[in-house]
Amino acid sequence: MHLRNLGFSKLTYSEVILTIRYEDIVNIAPIGVLLEDDKHLSLRVYKGQRICELISKGAIDCVLNITRNPKLFYDAIFNKNAIPHHPSETVSSPRVEGCDAYVECSIVHVEDHREYVRVLLKPQLTKTYPRIARTYNRAEPAVIEALICFTKIIHLIENNLEAAESLKERIKIFREIVHHSTRNEKLRMMITEILERSEKMIRENTAVNKH
Ligand SMILES: Cc1cc2nc3c(=O)[nH]c(=O)nc-3n(C[C@H](O)[C@H](O)[C@H](O)COP(=O)(O)O)c2cc1C
């Protein structure tokens, strides 16, 4: 299937779950992907994260696991070890179970920038499991947006407490959206956990700064 038909675009990031293997270490994390040209995709991976470390060490491939399931995004941040995965067809990095599609990629180029590395990928195989039509809901994207804010807080907390605070306020808005638009206890639990962890990180950091 053509990458554009899966939703990849040169203009808009596609948020996917990346699996990457280096030797016997497998790492799973959400990541944004852009289409470069008809045959290449690119990532921007911020330094200080495990994915970046595995790429710098020499990982040669990865899988883009395509899903809209907020629980998989949540687990890819908070419960990486709980995510079941199985072998891919053409690359050494595994696939996450239960996704709608998989793009198995070789890493063809890594470009070093000050705060991040830009990674060029060449897809080797695309496998899709098309689902029937689904309605849009507000709660699931709100959980994923809150996770993005949470991972930004992790990186900002030491140097920019004010920005971290403002991201936490944003998470509160996402929690309102979730509570307003669903009675699903699992989604409500996830958004509460994201907010509580953000508040805890900020509280602990404020305490450290005071001493
Ligand atoms: C939806 C979503 C998209 C993300 N996109 C990126 C990205 O494009 N680049 C990046 O460096 N981090 C991105 N992150 C943050 C990483 O996934 C997050 O920091 C993760 O914990 C890194 O895991 P690691 O330290 O095991 O590598 C994103 C997070 C979410 C929830």
Side-chain angles (χ1 to χ4, degrees):
M1 181 185 267
H2 198 284
L3 294 168
R4 282 180 202 275
N5 295 339
L6 274 176
F8 289 105
S9 155
K10 285 188 182 181
L11 305 176
T12 308
Y13 276 95
S14 292
E15 311 299 339
V16 307
I17 295 179
L18 179 95
T19 36
I20 183 162
R21 175 195 291 279
Y22 176 71
E23 294 181 342
D24 54 357
I25 308 166
V26 170
N27 195 33
I28 303 179
I31 197 103
V33 186
L34 275 185
L35 188 65
E36 284 296 313
D37 55 48
D38 283 349
K39 295 210 166 94
H40 295 93
L41 297 162
S42 70
L43 316 173
R44 178 181 281 208
V45 183
Y46 284 88
K47 291 186 180 172
Q49 310 187 92
R50 284 187 71 209
I51 335 172
C52 193
E53 195 187 316
L54 300 186
I55 291 168
S56 306
K57 280 185 170 163
I60 56 168
D61 60 48
C62 61
V63 178
L64 310 179
N65 301 273
I66 296 169
T67 180
R68 289 177 166 233
N69 181 351
K71 179 73 164 80
L72 282 177
F73 281 92
Y74 178 87
D75 284 344
I77 299 287
F78 295 128
N79 300 314
K80 290 179 195 270
N81 294 336
I83 298 185
H85 50 76
H86 58 270
S88 292
E89 285 179 43
T90 62
V91 296
S92 71
S93 304
R95 293 178 180 178
V96 167
E97 277 185 39
C99 293
D100 298 338
Y102 302 93
V103 185
E104 298 179 359
C105 299
S106 305
I107 297 175
V108 289
H109 189 63
V110 180
E111 198 177 271
D112 193 56
H113 292 256
R114 207 160 59 90
E115 292 181 354
Y116 62 89
V117 292
R118 187 174 158 276
V119 184
L120 194 65
L121 304 177
K122 187 165 180 11
Q124 302 296 341
L125 178 84
T126 302
K127 180 89 186 165
T128 53
Y129 298 93
R131 300 280 151 103
I132 51 167
R134 285 189 72 198
T135 58
Y136 182 79
N137 68 68
R138 298 174 67 199
E140 293 181 357
V143 169
I144 296 172
E145 287 302 320
L147 281 169
I148 294 174
C149 295
F150 175 82
T151 59
K152 284 188 181 162
I153 293 176
I154 298 177
H155 295 289
L156 283 170
I157 191 109
E158 284 192 2
N159 302 319
N160 195 342
L161 201 54
E162 217 171 283
E165 278 281 358
S166 110
L167 285 162
K168 185 195 74 182
E169 292 305 312
R170 223 184 276 179
I171 294 174
K172 282 190 184 161
I173 296 171
F174 292 128
R175 192 183 57 165
E176 273 174 37
I177 293 174
V178 171
H179 278 254
H180 196 75
S181 63
T182 184
R183 285 188 298 225
N184 181 322
E185 280 307 323
K186 284 187 185 149
L187 290 168
R188 287 179 164 209
M189 181 282 289
M190 283 187 244
I191 194 73
T192 299
E193 179 79 24
I194 297 165
L195 181 60
E196 283 177 1
R197 284 194 194 228
S198 308
E199 286 171 340
K200 183 161 177 270
M201 257 195 308
I202 290 173
R203 234 183 2 254
E204 286 173 356
N205 215 272
T206 314
V208 169
N209 282 351
K210 275 191 186 150
H211 291 116

